[in-house]
Amino acid sequence: MAKTNPGRFFEDYEVGQVLHHAVPRTVTTGERALYHALYPARHALYSSDTFAQASGLPQSPVDDLAAFHVVFGKTVPDVSLNAVANLGYAEGRWLKPVYPGDTLRSVSEVIGVKQNSNGKTGVVWVRTKGLNQRDEVVLDYVRWVMVRKSNLDTPAPDTVVPDLKQALSIDDLVIPQGLDFSDYDFALAGEPHRWGDYEVGETIDHVDGVTVEEAEHMLATRLWQNTAKVHFDLTFRPEGRLIYGGHVISMARALSFNGLANTQMIVGLNGGAHANPCFAGDTIKAWSEVLDKAETGVPGVGALRLRLVATKGGAPFELRGPEGKYKADVLLDLDYWALMPI
């Protein structure tokens, strides 16, 4: 009897299937130190206990994207071990801050399947929840992946494509209990720009760039216990190990500090696409566009809806070509809500 796990293939998924992912993980301040070593992350709320406490939280949480990576990484052996690519995200919500000492686990439900016309691959949609040691949901999101078939003779399943929101409304967002930016210290945060200084339609070139190195990517992918073969095994991607899409997301978010230093917390993920593959040697740059603004009703706290675009050195503010497809130098197109002081 085989004792190893070859991973699931497209024909192994069916709508309604619930996947309980191994292995729970207790996060510590070590996650923060490694996260800040891998990315130029320096948003004050995630860097300083005293800044977080002055903002109404008990201590500095684990970075929102670090929590996302931990939850995401748990799902890989069951969802995307045999994936060709991770295609997109929707309806993501950060529901509770994650603090050092919390233990996270992940559960996913298959909500859609669609075989591709080539008969060799198919798309699988899952809704994933990250839970802490109190069984509180700290994060949930939908993602879809393209997965290989193992047996090409397996009949195609009935197509089910989930009806997903194009964007979360302000009422869908959960503001952390106690958060209060009434006495926000702009000098310590690093920039003077507040919610009222941003206008819908405004674009921001984040100026800086970081060249991706193999060693950093391998460390990051192992840190989040992401076992997808395309990130490690060159026989699955002979042109190069595919850089984990979350690595690109975190790098772009960190680069966005220059111009968006006061977008302290990500609370909603409206959508996202990994437009083109990223490989070691690519230089990631980023730009943002303000898509919407909203007041939250929480003291001093406003929300910005932002498009975050990562490129491999391409000109800012150029997303698609004349035919409507993403330009070849666009790596990431991410649509999210973030909280900042009014």
Side-chain angles (χ1 to χ4, degrees):
M1 180 179 177
K3 292 182 172 61
T4 55
N5 174 26
R8 286 178 169 84
F9 293 87
F10 177 71
E11 62 267 31
D12 298 322
Y13 297 95
E14 59 183 41
V15 173
Q17 188 176 18
V18 177
L19 308 172
H20 294 271
H21 308 295
V23 172
R25 178 157 175 177
T26 302
V27 297
T28 69
T29 53
E31 263 80 8
R32 175 182 296 138
L34 279 170
Y35 189 86
H36 290 193
L38 287 164
Y39 312 106
R42 48 201 172 113
H43 287 86
L45 198 74
Y46 295 107
S47 300
S48 164
D49 283 342
T50 56
F51 192 97
Q53 289 160 358
S55 300
L57 301 182
Q59 65 184 107
S60 178
V62 174
D63 292 72
D64 37 40
L65 288 176
F68 174 81
H69 294 324
V70 171
V71 171
F72 182 103
K74 303 289 95 191
T75 72
V76 170
D78 298 311
V79 174
S80 48
L81 191 66
N82 295 305
V84 178
N86 189 48
L87 299 177
Y89 310 93
E91 296 185 2
R93 298 189 303 158
W94 281 257
L95 302 172
K96 286 183 176 292
V98 174
Y99 294 102
D102 283 347
T103 297
L104 302 181
R105 62 184 178 88
S106 303
V107 178
S108 298
E109 180 182 358
V110 180
I111 61 172
V113 291
K114 181 180 184 296
Q115 182 165 302
N116 291 329
S117 58
N118 63 13
K120 299 178 180 179
T121 59
V123 179
V124 179
W125 286 260
V126 297
R127 185 181 299 276
T128 295
K129 295 182 179 180
L131 301 98
N132 63 18
Q133 67 275 19
R134 294 178 293 276
D135 288 334
E136 299 167 332
V137 181
V138 300
L139 167 69
D140 66 12
Y141 63 92
V142 173
R143 73 164 169 138
W144 50 102
V145 296
M146 187 186 302
V147 184
R148 294 178 177 86
K149 290 185 73 172
S150 177
N151 181 358
L152 301 185
D153 295 327
T154 303
D158 292 337
T159 295
V160 177
V161 177
D163 183 17
L164 302 172
K165 294 181 180 180
Q166 287 195 340
L168 299 170
S169 72
I170 190 67
D171 294 331
D172 293 321
L173 307 180
V174 175
I175 313 303
Q177 185 175 1
L179 188 70
D180 185 339
F181 285 157
S182 299
D183 296 320
Y184 189 90
D185 192 323
F186 288 87
L188 290 180
E191 285 182 353
H193 316 303
R194 60 178 71 227
W195 180 85
D197 296 327
Y198 293 88
E199 299 294 336
V200 174
E202 179 179 356
T203 53
I204 304 159
D205 180 3
H206 299 301
V207 181
D208 307 309
V210 174
T211 302
V212 177
E213 304 290 348
E214 281 276 18
E216 294 167 351
H217 160 248
M218 297 294 278
L219 176 61
T221 313
R222 288 173 176 148
L223 174 63
W224 314 126
Q225 297 176 325
N226 184 332
T227 57
K229 296 173 183 177
V230 291
H231 301 318
F232 294 100
D233 188 341
L234 280 174
T235 63
F236 278 81
R237 197 97 187 203
E239 66 270 38
R241 280 183 286 262
L242 185 68
I243 300 300
Y244 165 44
H247 192 69
V248 179
I249 293 174
S250 281
M251 191 65 75
R253 161 69 170 163
L255 290 171
S256 76
F257 181 91
N258 191 349
L260 288 168
N262 294 314
T263 53
Q264 290 292 347
M265 304 190 82
I266 296 178
V267 289
L269 180 59
N270 299 304
H274 296 289
N276 287 289
C278 180
F279 298 101
D282 289 341
T283 296
I284 297 176
K285 293 192 174 183
W287 57 270
S288 293
E289 178 185 2
V290 180
L291 299 177
D292 200 359
K293 298 174 62 175
E295 297 187 44
T296 67
V298 174
V301 179
L304 285 185
R305 181 182 168 193
L306 296 159
R307 160 173 273 151
L308 174 62
V309 177
T311 72
K312 42 185 175 183
F317 318 134
E318 295 181 6
L319 186 63
R320 298 179 185 271
E323 72 286 358
K325 295 182 179 179
Y326 284 112
K327 295 178 72 68
D329 60 3
V330 173
L331 298 172
L332 171 73
D333 180 11
L334 199 72
D335 179 341
Y336 70 99
W337 282 102
L339 303 179
M340 71 183 310
I342 291 178

